[in-house]
Amino acid sequence: MHVITDIVYFILKYRLIRNFMEIALVLTLLVIAVVLFATEKLSVELVTLLMLIILASTRIITAEEAFAGFSSDFLIIIASIFILSAALQETGVLDFAVVRLVRLAKQSRNLMLFTVMIVTGVVSAFMNNTTVTAMFVTPLVGLSRRINSSPSKLLMPLAFAAILGGTCTLIGTSTNVAVSGYIAKSGLPPIGIFEISGIGFIIFLVGVVYMMTIGQRMLPEHEDQKLAEEYKLQKYLTEIIIRPDSPLVGQLVFASDLTSLHFRILNIIRGKDNFLPDFRTRISANDVLLVEGDLDNLIKVKETKGIDIMADIILEKDLVTDNIRLAELLVVRQSDLIGRTVKEVNFLQRYGLVVLAISRYGETLRSKIGSIQLQIGDLLLVQGSPERFSQLRTSSNVALLGEFEPLLFKKRKGIIAISCFTIAILLGTMDLLPLSVAFLLAAICTILFRCISSEKAYAAIDFKLLVLIGGMTAFGTAMENSGAADFLAQGIVDVLGPLGKMAVLAGFVVLTVLLTQPMSNAAAALVIVPVALRTAASLGSDPRAFAIAIMLAASVSLVTPFEPACILVYSPGKYRFSDFIKVGSPLTLLLIIVILVLVPVFWPV
């Protein structure tokens, strides 16, 4: 009898220790993931896949559970919406709407701001908010300059409207779709496509009113400067004359002694010609070179290199001629430049443009530009010919800032694309087809009717986001299997439970808002939702109410510019980090209160 008791005791102790170790491992992985997401030492999809491998290897989740998220229908919905959005862009529908908006908004700045926010919110209720923001940035910067207004007064409201507009429908953001998919997997009814429209509209309206009043007063108004002055190029540029006895004569421009010393030759004046060098250009005697680099080093080597310094101060007129001008390029989401350096993408050969400087989060980067990895929202100061800039108007990698040349509106194909999108929404709303089937059918139809090519349709899908969402769905399963969800739920109930259900709900909402700073909105929501569902069940509350509150909270964190839509407007608006904290913090707090007050009204807790 004692032997049997000892065996049972050993088994229980083993299971207790194993459960504790599994909880510790899952929570440790969560902390590591948050740190890696925040520091971006590794790409988010790589971090996600490594987590899945560890969880499956330790048997916390099975191989089927690890990859079940990648076969979920909500990923099909997200991918299809990316394709449909791209089809609307490709057919010129969105540019057509922007042109009409700009014409209407020219009457006054307040009218322009209100119209921009309303239209942006409506469009982003059905499209990815980053795509909508990128679509509006270029025309708004150009329009601001034409009416002598600061872009900073328009671009932050634009980004906020795009983000908050996504709370109005299920398909407004990938976060909404992912959370709906997770709660359906948990045995709860999925969220209807317009189920959150009532509270979403109120959240959006509060954001519009705030930005039209209090927020507008707090927004900075940065003066528009000449590009050379803004990027402070004068301190890094000089003109030099190549003497006939210089060993530089005959050297290839991009393989010269000057290049090996980290100087960049931007322009060459040869006789009456002023031109940009290419990879075949060689330096000739008596050439006048416009050089960027450390002037102290240039002075030290001028005698040995056979060069004469010609000018001490370079003005923008020295960088611009009839055939050469300066412009800014914005690196947009899903650009194939992201994560690669200027040198790796052969920027000069590919675009025929010279990158003079990079603006990132208000900081101007000038040294070793060729080795800087580009990021979404980077603003590139480039130099080149007008013809080269014209070729960029249809680029999916960069947006030519300050100049807006709308795509030709392909009326027939545009109507087909809009019809496909609308029919998919109607079929899904009326439950005539599953939402995933309806949107996939609509996406395929846009390809079949040649609204968008297959190649561009595939390129429009953000596969990194799909990997992140699929992986974090499996991580939610790991939190349930390991007991981590129960462990955290019990801890939250013990701390906040005595204060009531609303206090617990408030704790989850605030925690979600905080987690969206280092993590993506979808990842943060998928980490919190499993814990919230368990907590709601233990409190006798409606789990869907908790899930929806967390889902909305993931879209109202506007304190920092880490949201991709905010990153896109950071440099063009010449914002500082503190601008977002000052303007976004009160709005975020206000929206948290709105969520806590209205969620119990729409979904009784």
Side-chain angles (χ1 to χ4, degrees):
M1 187 70 180
H2 289 293
V3 174
I4 296 174
T5 304
D6 289 342
I7 292 173
V8 171
Y9 175 75
F10 175 78
I11 292 173
L12 292 175
K13 185 177 180 180
Y14 171 78
R15 286 181 176 176
L16 185 63
I17 293 173
R18 179 176 173 80
N19 287 345
F20 174 78
M21 292 180 65
E22 287 181 348
I23 291 172
L25 176 61
V26 170
L27 296 181
T28 300
L29 284 176
L30 175 59
V31 172
I32 292 172
V34 170
V35 172
L36 291 175
F37 286 159
T39 58
E40 297 182 345
K41 296 294 184 183
L42 293 173
S43 62
V44 292
E45 69 275 14
L46 185 59
V47 173
T48 303
L49 293 175
L50 287 173
M51 282 199 309
L52 292 188
I53 292 171
I54 294 172
L55 292 171
S57 300
T58 54
R59 307 296 175 86
I60 293 175
I61 55 176
T62 64
E64 291 77 13
E65 288 173 329
F67 304 111
F70 299 106
S71 61
S72 297
D73 63 343
F74 61 81
L75 289 188
I76 299 298
I77 297 173
I78 295 170
S80 300
I81 290 172
F82 277 126
I83 294 173
L84 289 167
S85 300
L88 292 175
Q89 281 188 294
E90 185 70 16
T91 55
V93 171
L94 298 181
D95 283 2
F96 179 79
V98 171
V99 170
R100 296 298 183 272
L101 169 63
V102 168
R103 289 177 182 174
L104 172 66
K106 282 182 180 180
Q107 299 175 30
S108 75
R109 192 171 77 174
N110 286 337
L111 176 61
M112 177 170 63
L113 176 61
F114 178 76
T115 309
V116 164
M117 294 191 73
I118 293 296
V119 173
T120 301
V122 170
V123 176
S124 66
F126 302 96
M127 287 179 58
N128 178 270
N129 60 52
T130 311
T131 301
V132 176
T133 303
M135 175 184 73
F136 278 98
V137 166
T138 294
L140 286 184
V141 170
L143 182 60
S144 296
R145 289 172 178 172
R146 284 201 295 271
I147 64 174
N148 295 319
S149 177
S150 173
S152 60
K153 287 292 187 179
L154 290 173
L155 295 184
M156 193 185 295
L158 165 69
F160 285 1
I163 293 168
L164 298 180
T167 64
C168 295
T169 68
L170 173 66
I171 61 173
T173 71
S174 55
T175 304
N176 297 353
V177 179
V179 170
S180 178
Y182 189 88
I183 65 174
K185 173 177 163 292
S186 303
L188 299 171
I191 299 170
I193 191 168
F194 293 112
E195 183 179 350
I196 59 173
S197 296
I199 189 171
F201 175 74
I202 295 171
I203 288 172
F204 172 68
L205 189 61
V206 169
V208 171
V209 172
Y210 174 87
M211 292 308 299
M212 289 292 297
T213 54
I214 300 171
Q216 189 64 198
R217 295 189 185 96
M218 291 193 292
L219 283 171
E221 188 160 8
H222 301 303
E223 293 183 6
D224 208 12
Q225 296 177 292
K226 289 185 178 296
L227 292 176
E229 296 174 1
E230 188 175 313
Y231 285 83
K232 298 179 175 61
L233 293 181
Q234 297 92 333
K235 297 180 180 180
Y236 297 85
L237 298 177
T238 191
E239 287 180 330
I240 63 173
I241 299 176
I242 304 299
R243 297 201 303 255
D245 60 339
S246 172
L248 293 169
V249 174
Q251 293 184 7
L252 288 168
V253 165
F254 297 109
S256 67
D257 292 344
L258 285 174
T259 303
S260 65
L261 293 170
H262 305 298
F263 296 111
R264 293 197 301 154
I265 301 173
L266 306 179
N267 281 22
I268 297 179
I269 300 175
R270 183 173 294 164
K272 295 182 179 180
D273 296 326
N274 186 333
F275 61 93
L276 296 176
D278 58 31
F279 286 91
R280 296 167 296 181
T281 306
R282 293 182 181 273
I283 299 173
S284 298
N286 300 316
D287 276 352
V288 178
L289 311 181
L290 179 62
V291 176
E292 180 190 38
D294 188 328
L295 301 190
D296 291 334
N297 287 340
L298 189 62
I299 292 172
K300 291 177 184 177
V301 300
K302 80 168 189 174
E303 295 299 332
T304 57
K305 293 300 178 184
I307 63 175
D308 292 321
I309 295 178
M310 182 178 174
D312 296 322
I313 299 176
I314 299 297
L315 302 176
E316 185 160 320
K317 65 181 180 62
D318 298 298
L319 295 165
V320 178
T321 68
D322 291 339
N323 299 317
I324 302 172
R325 62 187 182 89
L326 298 178
E328 293 174 299
L329 302 181
L330 179 67
V331 179
V332 297
R333 184 177 182 172
Q334 293 179 260
S335 168
D336 64 17
L337 303 180
I338 295 174
R340 304 168 69 188
T341 66
V342 171
K343 186 176 181 180
E344 286 173 347
V345 299
N346 293 319
F347 199 92
L348 179 60
Q349 287 180 305
R350 184 173 180 179
Y351 296 110
L353 302 170
V354 177
V355 180
L356 302 180
I358 300 173
S359 176
R360 176 180 296 168
Y361 288 119
E363 179 185 1
T364 300
L365 311 175
R366 304 179 196 84
S367 60
K368 300 182 179 179
I369 287 178
S371 60
I372 297 173
Q373 284 193 338
L374 299 176
Q375 299 178 7
I376 178 177
D378 279 354
L379 206 55
L380 313 181
L381 178 65
V382 295
Q383 183 188 39
S385 66
E387 292 77 17
R388 290 291 189 174
F389 288 119
S390 296
Q391 294 170 9
L392 288 175
R393 299 191 191 283
T394 57
S395 172
S396 59
N397 295 315
V398 292
L400 183 58
L401 209 62
E403 297 185 17
F404 178 60
E405 188 69 32
L407 293 174
L408 178 65
F409 178 39
K410 303 169 186 175
K411 189 173 181 179
R412 187 182 68 85
K413 291 183 178 180
I415 292 174
I416 292 173
I418 295 172
S419 299
C420 290
F421 210 145
T422 304
I423 292 171
I425 293 171
L426 292 175
L427 291 174
T429 304
M430 295 186 292
D431 288 330
L432 296 176
L433 282 177
L435 203 59
S436 55
V437 175
F439 278 100
L440 180 60
L441 176 62
I444 291 174
C445 285
T446 60
I447 297 173
L448 290 176
F449 285 104
R450 299 185 179 180
C451 299
I452 186 171
S453 66
S454 298
E455 293 76 15
K456 289 186 177 180
Y458 279 112
I461 300 173
D462 190 346
F463 288 100
K464 292 183 179 181
L465 178 63
L466 299 187
V467 170
L468 174 66
I469 292 176
M472 293 309 294
T473 300
F475 190 83
T477 303
M479 291 187 68
E480 293 179 353
N481 291 356
S482 66
D486 287 329
F487 175 77
L488 293 176
Q490 189 58 50
I492 291 172
V493 170
D494 290 343
V495 174
L496 297 175
L499 300 176
K501 295 178 180 179
M502 288 306 300
V504 176
L505 181 61
F508 278 118
V509 168
V510 172
L511 180 60
T512 303
V513 168
L514 294 176
L515 265 185
T516 55
Q517 304 311 309
M519 304 176 72
S520 75
N521 296 354
L526 290 173
V527 166
I528 301 295
V529 164
V531 183
L533 295 181
R534 294 298 179 93
T535 304
S538 67
L539 291 173
S541 298
D542 179 12
R544 285 181 90 252
F546 273 62
I548 290 172
I550 289 165
M551 179 185 75
L552 295 171
S555 294
V556 302
S557 181
L558 307 171
V559 179
T560 60
F562 296 141
E563 173 72 22
C566 294
I567 292 174
L568 282 179
V569 302
Y570 193 106
S571 293
K574 318 301 178 190
Y575 295 116
R576 299 182 180 89
F577 196 90
S578 58
D579 292 331
F580 281 87
I581 296 176
K582 181 173 66 174
V583 179
S585 297
L587 179 56
T588 300
L589 180 59
L590 187 60
L591 294 176
I592 288 174
I593 294 171
V594 170
I595 290 172
L596 292 175
V597 170
L598 293 182
V599 164
V601 174
F602 287 90
W603 302 271
V605 174

